[in-house]
Amino acid sequence: MLSRDAYRQVVRHVVAAELSGGRGASFRETERRLQSNEPLNGDLIQADSLEIVSAATAVNMFFRLHEAGGEDYLLRRLTMDAWAEVVAASAVAGLSGVTFRSGGTTGAPKPIFQSMADLTVEAERLAELVGPTRRVLCLAPLHHIYGFLWGALIADCLSAELIADSSAQDIVMRGAVPGGVASRDLIVAVPVQWGHVASAVSGLPAEATGVTSTAPADPVVIHALRRRGLGRMLELYGSSETGGIGWRDAPEDPYRLLGHWTRLDADRLRHQSGRVAVLPDRVEWQGADRLLPIGRRDGAVQVGGTNVYPAQIRDRLRDHPAVADCAVRPTDTGSGLRLKAFVVLADEGGEADSDVPTAIRQWVREAFSTAERPVSLTFGDHLPTNEIGKLADWPVDAAP
């Protein structure tokens, strides 16, 4: 169980994610408007009846309130404080865990259940790594497993103050000046946010700790943060499906397994609960409890009964001289699974030249077999990412 304040902050992030996704709005701007006692249909948010139902459904699904029969109470009072009270009361009655949504790096986001017992065990292990902490400055969204563990759960385990709204970023960006980061602060951010901190902040307290996860961190950024005074920078390795797996203090080191995991074989781990998990990446083992990820497991997708590999299709598309970067994913066409691609043109390809996309579409028709060929090509200035900087899904564009 979480504290009442932690529930309130997590609920705000769940609702902000749901509303901003539906509106195509900024997550942070939506979260800022969600004041504790401001009703969802008030002047600040102006949610309509369908959005309110959608937000209530998101909170119910995240916390699994239906297990305690608490979901119906959400629509009686429409403030974040009232919803946090419903969640807290349901937790007392008994909730089994939390349902996150995967980042969708290798496919469409999917619901992933994590038991509260496993999450609590992990948070206690992570709290031991960090030690005494005064504040948790969480720049990561709390509705993702990374922010939930390292924000809400860690703060409660350490009896630390949790700051997870936009003021957390304001504090971090001030650096080691009055009103900024202080001794025994824990800063939780994703790699892209750490890059911004490294480029904008001139100094950080030696008694502060940073943590990064969700994607590989740039060693250059980590070393820059240490030169600016940051006492410790923890990298965490894991996934939405497994939770945290390992940690390290230096980017040159292998990850060390967290205490609740045991190596089972080259590809699998055993949780102390007995649960077996497959590693999200191919790894190189260095002893019984050290591992180094060496590449993602890019699974095959069956298209018309033929195995195709989105990663390989992506690599071939990127070899085209007019393509700077691209992403390839399966897409359900309604009559079967096919592939789609999001393409960023190279500068030399001439984005202003309307013939370039046409030429690429023609090349795709000729260079790939029927099963391999993306049935949709979408062109843009940069690959689509979500609020934590991970590759995100995109709507299907016109067929090539």
Side-chain angles (χ1 to χ4, degrees):
M1 286 178 53
L2 296 174
S3 66
R4 185 65 56 87
D5 179 64
Y7 278 128
R8 179 180 58 79
Q9 298 197 55
V10 176
V11 166
R12 283 182 66 189
H13 282 210
V14 172
V15 173
E18 184 65 21
L19 294 180
S20 61
R23 297 177 174 186
S26 159
F27 166 79
R28 281 299 177 191
E29 176 60 22
T30 306
E31 186 265 341
R32 187 182 65 79
R33 291 172 177 270
L34 282 168
Q35 299 298 310
S36 297
N37 291 307
E38 173 74 13
L40 282 170
N41 55 358
D43 291 339
L44 284 177
I45 291 295
Q46 299 182 356
D48 61 29
S49 58
L50 292 178
E51 288 180 312
I52 290 170
V53 170
S54 177
T57 301
V59 171
N60 176 38
M61 296 304 294
F62 186 87
F63 288 105
R64 307 171 69 85
L65 302 182
H66 51 276
E67 294 178 344
E71 72 274 25
D72 292 340
Y73 293 98
L74 292 175
L75 297 180
R76 298 185 182 182
R77 292 177 57 203
L78 302 180
T79 67
M80 295 302 93
D81 273 358
W83 284 16
E85 290 175 8
V86 172
V87 175
S90 298
V92 171
L95 298 175
S96 61
V98 173
T99 302
F100 300 100
R101 291 182 68 82
S102 69
T105 305
T106 56
K110 57 185 179 183
I112 296 173
F113 171 74
Q114 293 282 353
S115 76
M116 188 55 73
D118 285 356
L119 290 169
T120 301
V121 165
E122 181 171 345
E124 290 171 350
R125 294 281 189 274
L126 300 176
E128 292 170 1
L129 283 178
V130 176
T133 299
R134 187 173 70 95
R135 298 184 302 183
V136 177
L137 307 173
C138 187
L139 279 58
L142 299 176
H143 61 286
H144 287 269
I145 187 171
Y146 173 51
F148 188 83
L149 272 165
W150 279 93
L153 274 175
I154 284 282
D156 277 6
C157 282
L158 295 170
S159 299
E161 179 186 4
L162 171 63
I163 303 177
D165 58 14
S166 57
S167 64
Q169 178 166 326
D170 295 339
I171 293 171
V172 173
M173 298 309 279
R174 291 190 191 107
V177 300
V181 182
S183 296
R184 295 193 293 120
D185 277 351
L186 173 67
I187 308 168
V188 181
V190 299
V192 66
Q193 293 168 328
W194 281 118
H196 295 156
V197 175
S199 63
V201 174
S202 59
L204 290 162
E207 297 78 14
T209 296
V211 61
T212 183
S213 189
T214 72
D218 186 344
V220 173
V221 170
I222 292 178
H223 289 306
L225 291 162
R226 297 297 300 272
R227 286 196 299 273
R228 285 157 177 72
L230 184 65
R232 189 183 187 192
M233 186 66 174
L234 278 167
E235 286 183 82
L236 192 77
Y237 172 61
S239 68
S240 298
E241 290 81 357
T242 61
I245 291 173
W247 63 278
R248 64 185 179 188
D249 272 322
E252 297 78 17
D253 294 340
Y255 290 95
R256 180 183 300 181
L257 283 183
L258 287 163
H260 53 283
W261 289 110
T262 304
R263 177 184 177 182
L264 191 58
D265 54 33
D267 301 321
R268 298 182 302 165
L269 304 172
R270 186 187 299 280
H271 192 270
Q272 69 176 41
S273 65
R275 174 169 57 94
V276 174
V278 177
L279 286 162
D281 298 287
R282 293 179 290 112
V283 303
E284 176 183 290
W285 284 97
Q286 298 181 12
D289 64 348
R290 304 287 199 282
L291 74 165
L292 197 61
I294 55 175
R296 293 198 61 83
R297 298 179 189 278
D298 293 303
V301 175
Q302 274 216 335
V303 176
T306 301
N307 284 340
V308 297
Y309 296 86
Q312 294 178 8
I313 306 301
R314 179 200 62 205
D315 290 343
R316 288 171 60 188
L317 278 167
R318 292 174 68 177
D319 285 339
H320 191 286
V323 175
D325 204 355
C326 70
V328 175
R329 287 189 171 194
T331 182
D332 188 348
T333 63
S335 57
L337 205 62
R338 299 297 299 267
L339 298 181
K340 64 178 181 180
F342 191 101
V343 177
V344 178
L345 294 177
D347 291 338
E348 58 270 28
E351 292 187 32
D353 186 351
S354 60
D355 290 336
V356 174
T358 301
I360 292 176
R361 292 180 195 280
Q362 181 61 37
W363 173 73
V364 166
R365 290 192 191 96
E366 297 170 354
F368 294 89
S369 68
T370 299
E372 294 173 329
R373 180 172 60 85
V375 294
S376 166
L377 293 181
T378 301
F379 294 86
D381 295 332
H382 52 80
L383 295 181
T385 56
N386 63 14
E387 63 266 26
I388 60 172
K390 299 188 75 172
L391 185 63
D393 203 357
W394 64 92
V396 170
D397 210 335

